[in-house]
Amino acid sequence: MTHERLVTMIRQATKDVFATMLGIELEDHPEYLGVTAPGPSEGVLAIVGLAGAWAGSGSFSCSALMAQKISGQLLMQEYSAIDDDVLDAIGEVTNMVLGNVKTVLEEELGPMGLSIPTVIYGRNFTTRNVGKSQWTVVPFQCIGEVVEVHLCLEPGKELSAKISVAQQQVPAILTMLG
Amino acid sequence: MSLDVMIVDDSAAIRKILHRVLIQADVPLGKVIEAGDGQEALDKLKSAMVGLILSDINMPNMDGLQLLGALKTQEATKAIPIIMVTTEGSSAKVMEAVSLGASGYVRKPFTAEQIKEKLAGLI
């Protein structure tokens, strides 16, 4: 699964969710590959886990003010602070975005599970993942601010073992052919 | 005649949105009962019967497909129309829901019109 394919899936799913559920048209910002777990140091961050032949994590992040705006659009009421409604709304937006990415991924990678979202709100926090996974980071311009969707996906243990065996067999096959 | 409806979703946001859509759809609403997962839905149905259920699939404790299976095997609840409203969009999940007896399947994100269309055939 390439970074470019993931970017295409994330862009489509995120724009679809925002246009359909929030009435917000997102604009693209340049995507990039992050070598450590990306994310803001403050604001709202929602994370879901993906599991299957490929596994990983996905997240959505935005400022506290943007979280209030998004929740207001979703629930048709104004929010002046981060409360349970706002955290729940951002969790659900994340669930919809990455759930739709998962549906497209399943066509190529087989069945996957999606965890219940975990939503974090605070200031001066750090996120990181164990290991050296690369993250596909897809930012969008959203009502004057930037929001980001992050996705890290790697072959699961079983698939990794098969790939490892296959990689070990390639030199042997090449030697036989040589 | 009013229609009592149960909305099952672990997201309070989605429960609010679906409640709003039901009002917009001019459904002659009676009671609207909310549940955060399948088990809570089953528990609440012991004391209050409804004429329609809208249910998510991915939920803690008991998911929507388990709830659907349980309701369709109980005499008292097997005739209740159940519409799945979920991010789960794979054809395998849709087929599973249909085979268990779901009356409709709506993928999130959804428009109010999509929900109304599904309701039109049932009410």
Side-chain angles (χ1 to χ4, degrees), chain A residues 29-106:
Chain A
H29 261 225
E31 74 279 1
Y32 58 95
L33 267 173
V35 289
T36 57
S41 58
E42 64 176 51
V44 179
L45 174 73
I47 305 169
V48 293
L50 292 152
W54 286 60
S57 305
S59 66
F60 172 84
S61 63
C62 64
S63 71
L65 185 62
M66 181 53 60
Q68 292 163 34
K69 287 182 185 174
I70 288 170
S71 305
Q73 287 290 115
L74 186 67
L75 298 172
M76 293 187 175
Q77 63 186 85
E78 283 192 20
Y79 292 96
S80 56
I82 301 292
D83 61 12
D84 284 348
D85 275 4
V86 173
L87 296 179
D88 186 81
I90 297 302
E92 187 54 33
V93 167
T94 306
N95 181 49
M96 284 190 277
V97 167
L98 289 154
N100 278 272
V101 170
K102 180 190 86 95
T103 297
V104 182
L105 284 170
E106 283 178 323

Side-chain angles (χ1 to χ4, degrees), chain B residues 1-4 22 25-30 123:
Chain B
M1 189 174 157
S2 62
L3 179 71
D4 294 339
L22 290 172
D26 291 328
V27 172
L29 274 183
I123 298 172

Side-chain angles (χ1 to χ4, degrees), chain A residues 107-129:
Chain A
E107 292 169 10
E108 298 180 32
L109 306 179
M112 300 178 89
L114 184 73
S115 74
I116 306 291
T118 297
V119 189
I120 299 157
Y121 165 57
R123 289 182 183 150
N124 197 23
F125 60 76
T126 305
T127 56
R128 63 161 295 152
N129 62 322

Side-chain angles (χ1 to χ4, degrees), chain B residues 19-101:
Chain B
H19 193 161
R20 190 177 68 223
V21 168
L22 290 172
I23 293 167
Q24 289 172 344
D26 291 328
V27 172
L29 274 183
K31 280 185 295 186
V32 176
I33 300 168
E34 296 187 13
D37 61 54
Q39 188 57 55
E40 188 183 345
L42 285 180
D43 292 343
K44 288 189 172 179
L45 285 170
K46 286 176 186 167
S47 55
M49 199 46 66
V50 296
L52 174 70
I53 295 174
L54 305 177
S55 177
D56 188 14
I57 288 183
N58 281 333
M59 295 181 287
N61 300 325
M62 177 187 279
D63 70 30
L65 293 176
Q66 290 172 314
L67 171 66
L68 180 60
L71 293 174
K72 291 299 175 184
T73 54
Q74 292 176 16
E75 196 59 38
T77 54
K78 68 180 183 185
I80 301 173
I82 303 170
I83 298 174
M84 311 310 291
V85 184
T86 175
T87 55
E88 283 290 353
S90 69
S91 53
K93 290 285 183 189
V94 177
M95 293 301 291
E96 190 176 355
V98 170
S99 70
L100 286 168

